[in-house]
């Protein structure tokens, strides 16, 4: 394929991936499988690795997060980003209309939009010629913080508008040359629950509140961390635009939707009396939503009238927030139980005097971890405050101390696993308590579920129901047993015929082609997820090398702290785990690191931090790859931690800052000499 044809193919790949991301993340109606999407994405990465000069900010590959920032730059908003006045019942809404009618009587004969009031973090997005170029927090309404790299990681945020079908030439709506929109970043509640589950299994501190977690996630200094958090976004306002824009809020939402933005569900009403029953409906269905809302927003639909009504303080007169009651109740904590997770993590849960909240009777609630019990001073017998948001498991906020009688009892973490009776351990400095018995019955199904999952060995057709069948029938007692299954074994299971059995065995066999990094992830070693597994395979070419490594060697690898290093050494030192590895090897499954996982270059730059600036003789991406191949790290800004600034022609403020901080400045020849 010629260079021109390859570049054209790259552009088509980007267009295709953007469109399928839109279908998946915005419309929730994908037309291709995850496997097909991943193949296209890997093809894109392959081309961009060969031609880093072709990488553009709108490429789907650029969502992964850049190097950490030293601080957030300030961004002046092109128009004030206002808050809203509140109404707590419909009488307050009627009073709002009476007040604004005194300013302009036209509101008595206008229509209104009704939109959910999202409980997330308000963000402002800038697009030039259809490309996302900057994003900021609301800040004080006049000036916000530049969080562009973090916002790029949100899959539902379009990096280029309008979003079109691949190859589609007709553009139904053309974006203004400069467009600034406002929206809300938040967590879908099921994704928030999965995030906490992953953190819990890794022995890390979990989060309590989706709204605060969303805010903290977008204000991380390291966008790579933000990229691991499954944030979503909804857009509902045009803040500023060059050229023609819709003249009503209803048309604005339609325009934003046509551009490819995810927008909130809204309705148009001719008068306030039409809105009153809708508020009751939304209040009732609030608990079934997959995201948190704390009310509804009523807006004057006509933009010109909205502007003419003006502002009171920081609140526009043309809109009001109808606030719902908080979804909190109190009840008695009867007892505290303990669950055992896939990685052996012990998690406490509340056993409650049944109470109704949001139309659901609740008998159990999460308590996050044992440290949470101490921090909140939660005791058995306490009257506790309980919160439920959406369909996620309710959680205990804390005790009502004033209601104590003196009979309440503090809870002590168990010394043995409630499932297998083996001792549990708590590593100093970690939140989690663990059952260290790999044969613990409570862990097996979850262990297998993780082992076959898409992020691990991706064994197609082996879902949780079949995993449970295999365990219940005694066919699988550890993950290695999957590779000795026969057709006759599977035919014993309900729902299996010859074709289904053969397809599953073929999927299991195909998983042997997965690289070492996937296998490491699948093993479920505490603290070793996909990122850590990739880092380890750059140093160790197979499990023989890794299993014989030392704690001292592991902690020299960037990102491997003493706790994770100890967990790795402990895992490989256990007799049961060594026996498991022997079974894998006997079954013919012993992967080695793929070529692109191994660094065969001398790591002469290990521990050194570089910043690149100015115009160089080769694309900056090639220079970055060169530095990383030899063990160095490239960041985006100069700080006291920077070892070298690689400066080309027309180097600007970074060169000045490096000089001020005494950072050594290199040219390209100096770098070549440094790597030999």
């Amino acid at each position: 394929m010629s260079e021109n044809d390859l570049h054209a193919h790259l552009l088509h790949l980007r267009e295709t991936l953007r469109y399928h991301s839109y279908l998946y993340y915005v419309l929730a109606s994908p037309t291709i499988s995850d496997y097909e999407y991943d193949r296209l994405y890997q093809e894109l990465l392959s081309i961009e690795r060969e031609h880093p000069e072709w990488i553009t900010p709108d490429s789907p590959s650029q969502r992964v997060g850049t190097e950490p920032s030293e601080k957030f730059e300030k961004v002046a908003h092109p128009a004030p980003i206002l808050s809203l006045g509140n109404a707590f019942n419909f009488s307050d809404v009627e009073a709002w209309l009476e007040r604004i009618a005194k300013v302009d009587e036209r509101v008595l004969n206008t229509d209104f939009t009704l939109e959910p009031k999202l409980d997330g973090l308000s963000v402002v997005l800038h697009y030039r010629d259809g490309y996302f170029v900057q994003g900021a927090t609301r800040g004080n309404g006049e000036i916000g913080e530049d969080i562009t790299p973090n916002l790029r990681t949100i899959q539902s945020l379009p990096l280029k508008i309008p979003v079109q079908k691949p190859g589609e030439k007709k553009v139904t709506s053309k974006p203004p040359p400069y467009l600034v929109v406002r929206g809300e970043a938040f967590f879908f509640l099921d994704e928030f629950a999965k995030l906490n589950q992953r953190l819990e299994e890794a022995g890390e501190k979990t989060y309590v509140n989706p709204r605060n977690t969303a805010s903290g996630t977008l204000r991380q200094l390291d966008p790579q961390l933000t990229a691991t958090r499954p944030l979503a976004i909804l857009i509902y306002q045009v803040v500023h635009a060059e050229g023609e824009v819709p003249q009503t809020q209803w048309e604005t939402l339609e325009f934003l939707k046509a551009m490819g933005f995810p927008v909130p569900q809204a309705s148009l009403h001719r008068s306030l009396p039409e809105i009153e029953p809708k508020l009751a409906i939304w209040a009732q269905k609030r608990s079934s939503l997959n995201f948190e809302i704390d009310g509804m927003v009523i807006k004057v639909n006509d933009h010109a009238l909205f502007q003419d009504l003006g502002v009171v303080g920081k609140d526009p007169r043309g809109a009001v927030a109808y606030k719902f009651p908080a979804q909190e109740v109190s009840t008695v904590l009867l007892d505290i139980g303990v669950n055992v997770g896939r990685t052996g993590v012990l998690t406490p849960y509340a056993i409650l005097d049944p109470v109704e909240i949001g139309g659901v009777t609740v008998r159990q609630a999460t308590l996050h971890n044992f440290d949470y019990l101490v921090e909140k001073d939660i005791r058995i017998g306490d009257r506790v405050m309980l919160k439920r948001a959406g369909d996620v498991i309710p959680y205990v906020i804390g005790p009502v101390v004033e209601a104590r009688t003196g009979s309440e009892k503090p809870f002590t973490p168990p010394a043995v696993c409630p499932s297998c009776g083996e001792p549990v351990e708590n590593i100093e400095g970690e939140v989690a308590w663990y059952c260290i018995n790999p044969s613990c019955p409570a862990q097996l199904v979850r262990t297998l579920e993780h082992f076959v999952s898409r992020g691990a060995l991706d064994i197609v057709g082996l879902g949780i129901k079949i995993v449970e069948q295999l365990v219940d029938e005694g066919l699988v007692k550890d993950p290695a047993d999957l590779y000795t299954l026969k057709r006759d074994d599977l035919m014993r299971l309900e729902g299996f015929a010859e074709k289904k059995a053969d397809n599953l065995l073929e999927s299991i066999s195909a998983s042997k082609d997965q690289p070492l990094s996937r296998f490491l992830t699948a093993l479920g070693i505490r603290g070793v997820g996909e990122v850590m597994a990739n880092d380890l395979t750059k140093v160790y070419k197979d499990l023989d090398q890794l299993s014989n490594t030392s704690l001292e060697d592991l902690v020299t690898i960037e990102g491997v702290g003493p706790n994770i290093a100890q967990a790795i050494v402990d895992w490989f030192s256990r007799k049961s785990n060594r026996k498991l590895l022997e079974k894998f090897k006997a079954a013919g499954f012993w992967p080695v690191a793929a070529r692109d996982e191994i660094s065969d270059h001398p790591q002469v730059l290990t521990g050194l931090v570089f910043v690149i600036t100015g115009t160089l003789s080769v694309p900056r991406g090639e220079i970055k790859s060169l530095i990383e191949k030899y063990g160095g790290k490239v960041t985006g800004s100069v700080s006291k931690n920077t070892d070298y600034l690689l400066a080309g022609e027309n180097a600007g403020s970074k060169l000045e800052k490096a000089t001020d901080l005494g950072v050594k400045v290199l040219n390209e020849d100096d770098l070549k000499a440094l790597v030999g």
Side-chain angles (χ1 to χ4, degrees), residues 228-418:
T228 67
R229 304 290 191 252
L231 282 169
I233 197 166
L234 289 175
I235 307 299
Y236 53 81
Q237 180 186 350
V238 172
V239 176
H240 175 78
E242 293 177 356
E244 293 187 10
V245 289
Q247 298 304 304
T248 68
Q249 176 62 8
W250 186 252
E251 292 169 344
T252 294
L253 293 173
E254 291 297 313
F255 164 77
L256 292 170
K257 189 175 180 180
M259 287 292 103
F261 291 107
V263 299
Q265 182 182 348
S267 53
L268 182 63
H269 303 277
R270 290 171 294 181
S271 65
L272 280 191
E274 274 191 17
I275 290 177
E276 185 174 10
K278 295 289 185 182
L279 295 174
I281 292 171
W282 273 97
Q284 186 174 7
K285 77 177 193 177
R286 172 192 185 190
S287 61
S288 64
L289 296 175
N290 195 23
F291 52 88
E292 289 195 337
I293 64 173
D294 56 4
M296 300 296 293
V297 179
I298 304 167
K299 297 178 184 176
V300 170
N301 186 39
D302 183 273
H303 282 337
L305 177 54
F306 189 99
Q307 294 297 326
D308 289 345
L309 286 167
V311 176
V312 180
K314 289 191 174 182
D315 303 338
R317 289 192 178 93
V320 67
Y322 176 87
K323 301 298 288 290
F324 291 141
Q327 291 182 303
E328 296 179 8
V329 297
S330 69
T331 188
V332 176
L333 176 63
L334 301 176
D335 202 354
I336 294 175
V338 178
N339 280 325
V340 184
R342 173 183 62 80
T343 57
V345 174
L346 274 58
T347 306
Y349 64 92
I351 300 171
L352 305 164
D353 188 13
V355 62
E356 186 173 307
I357 177 171
V360 176
T361 300
V362 175
R363 292 178 170 82
Q364 293 184 357
T366 183
L367 289 167
H368 305 292
N369 52 59
F370 297 116
D371 278 8
Y372 187 75
L373 294 174
V374 176
E375 290 170 10
K376 299 293 184 180
D377 189 22
I378 297 171
R379 307 176 187 180
I380 296 172
D382 265 333
R383 175 161 288 277
V384 293
M385 292 301 298
L386 188 70
K387 182 170 183 178
R388 179 178 184 270
D391 288 330
V392 299
I393 298 172
Y395 61 89
V396 174
I397 300 173
V400 182
V401 178
E402 296 79 8
R404 281 181 175 162
T405 63
S407 62
E408 297 80 13
K409 300 177 181 178
F411 180 78
T412 302
V416 297
C417 172

Side-chain angles (χ1 to χ4, degrees), residues 533-551:
N534 280 321
D535 290 342
L536 290 171
T537 54
K538 291 176 182 177
V539 180
Y540 304 99
K541 70 176 184 179
D542 59 31
L543 286 174
D544 285 319
Q545 285 190 354
L546 181 56
S547 63
N548 292 314
T549 193
S550 66
L551 187 69

